[in-house]
Amino acid sequence: SSGINAEYGTAKMFPDNIALTTAIVETSLNMAIAASPYIGAALYENVSFLVAFLVPGAAIFLLFLGSFVVKDVDCRKTTGEGNSTRAILLDPLLIFPAWHCAFSQILLNFYIPILAAYTEATFNRGAVFAGICLLINTAGIIVTSPFLGYLMDRFNPYIFLIVASVTLPITYLFVGPSPVLGDFVTASPTQLIIVLALIGFEIPLACYPSLIIMNDIYKMRYKKLTPSAQNLITSIYCSSFPVGAFIGVVSAGLLSRLMTFGQSTQVMGFLAILQSLFVFLFLFLVRRLKTSATTEERTPLLKDAPSSVY
């Protein structure tokens, strides 16, 4: 929840750098996820079980005290009223980018709970190797996120969405690897590390443009992005991350009981291809909406009245 609040607050404080601030927050979260198991294990093995919890607890408490010192920035609604919550929630074009972000998180979190069992059975390398693979996966996100966020704020965010929609499904078929690839790709530690590193680069491409695109669609529909509408849109976007993570982990647990690792990741890869088709349909509809909005701006509501003759 702290990460969601951080993304929400920074998006409000820096509306012209939404993708960059989101990328920085996500980078910080992924760095914490990557480092925390090692820090906890070191404290537990070298000091005690109690200290392993006291140290992060004390750090959180110090940050809490520091929040009273930092200058407060009011990010709440100031003026204007947006369209109703119901209208935004029932607008498929507005919700789809958030769903796409959630689906990307499903793909990211799907293999995490079942990777150790796969590496143990396939390569005779257990949790340590799986942890290294996930660390490299996370490192791909950490290294590329700020740079990609910077670019997304300055170039067309739809381009990044298209690139991710093409590359991510293809890459995901190589995780297992997919049985449909046959002898084209052989499972190996090197193959797994390379594929997870690529996914770490592609996930930010898929997720971070979503909030910019949602704001853009709202402005095309309603001309002006009101503070209340921006609050709701940002909240929907932020909620897509935990929703996707939850679905991904649950899906892994269900499919791993019925299929092998390669078969289950193949299913997710095929679903990613289907999702990409929906992305291109979404882009077509957005294009139509943009054309319609441009036409309405150029067409006067009333013809010029003729001059009165007296």
Side-chain angles (χ1 to χ4, degrees), residues 103-155:
F103 185 82
S104 302
Q105 291 300 309
I106 293 173
L107 296 178
L108 177 63
N109 288 274
F110 178 80
Y111 49 74
I112 292 177
I114 58 178
L115 188 63
Y118 165 70
T119 57
E120 177 68 36
T122 307
F123 312 126
N124 197 26
R125 300 186 182 186
V128 174
F129 177 71
I132 293 173
C133 291
L134 293 176
L135 183 63
I136 293 173
N137 183 217
T138 305
I141 299 174
I142 293 172
V143 171
T144 60
S145 288
F147 176 68
L148 291 174
Y150 176 84
L151 292 178
M152 289 173 194
D153 285 321
R154 283 152 182 80
F155 298 98

Side-chain angles (χ1 to χ4, degrees), residues 14-286:
F14 306 101
D16 296 326
N17 295 281
I18 290 176
L20 178 59
T21 54
T22 302
I24 292 173
V25 172
E26 282 296 309
T27 299
S28 303
L29 291 173
N30 282 284
M31 289 177 64
I33 293 171
S36 58
Y38 297 95
I39 296 174
L43 292 173
Y44 171 70
E45 291 181 358
N46 298 300
V47 188
S48 69
F49 180 78
L50 180 62
V51 173
F53 287 92
L54 285 178
V55 170
I60 294 173
F61 182 70
L62 289 175
L63 290 173
F64 169 72
L65 295 178
S67 65
F68 292 98
V69 180
V70 178
K71 182 181 178 181
D72 181 47
V73 178
D74 188 0
C75 298
R76 295 172 297 178
K77 179 180 69 174
T78 53
T79 59
E81 291 296 331
N83 282 56
S84 69
T85 300
R86 179 183 175 85
I88 293 176
L89 293 176
L90 295 180
D91 189 333
L93 286 186
L94 268 173
I95 297 300
F96 183 83
W99 160 247
H100 185 67
C101 182
F103 185 82
S104 302
Q105 291 300 309
I106 293 173
L107 296 178
L108 177 63
N109 288 274
F110 178 80
Y111 49 74
I112 292 177
I114 58 178
L115 188 63
Y118 165 70
T119 57
E120 177 68 36
T122 307
F123 312 126
N124 197 26
R125 300 186 182 186
V128 174
F129 177 71
I132 293 173
C133 291
L134 293 176
L135 183 63
I136 293 173
N137 183 217
T138 305
I141 299 174
I142 293 172
V143 171
T144 60
S145 288
F147 176 68
L148 291 174
Y150 176 84
L151 292 178
M152 289 173 194
D153 285 321
R154 283 152 182 80
F155 298 98
N156 190 338
Y158 294 92
I159 295 176
F160 298 91
L161 185 66
I162 293 171
V163 172
S165 298
V166 173
T167 59
L168 184 55
I170 296 173
T171 305
Y172 214 85
L173 291 175
F174 286 83
V175 175
S178 167
V180 299
L181 298 176
D183 297 330
F184 180 70
V185 178
T186 303
S188 69
T190 303
Q191 165 264 336
L192 182 62
I193 289 174
I194 292 174
V195 170
L196 292 183
L198 289 174
I199 290 176
F201 169 75
E202 292 162 349
I203 289 296
L205 281 175
C207 289
Y208 299 160
S210 294
L211 182 56
I212 303 175
I213 291 173
M214 293 172 74
N215 289 338
D216 184 50
I217 292 173
Y218 185 91
K219 286 185 282 189
M220 280 190 279
R221 281 207 188 280
Y222 306 111
K223 310 308 178 187
K224 180 182 178 182
L225 182 62
T226 60
S228 58
Q230 187 178 11
N231 291 345
L232 179 58
I233 290 171
T234 305
S235 300
I236 295 171
Y237 168 75
C238 291
S239 66
S240 67
F241 285 86
V243 168
F246 172 76
I247 297 176
V249 173
V250 172
S251 301
L254 295 175
L255 291 181
S256 63
R257 295 175 179 271
L258 306 173
M259 306 175 182
T260 65
F261 183 81
Q263 291 171 340
S264 62
T265 53
Q266 174 181 267
V267 170
M268 300 306 295
F270 286 157
L271 290 176
I273 293 174
L274 180 61
Q275 173 68 13
S276 294
L277 296 178
F278 283 118
V279 168
F280 289 108
L281 175 61
F282 162 77
L283 293 173
F284 171 74
L285 295 176
V286 170

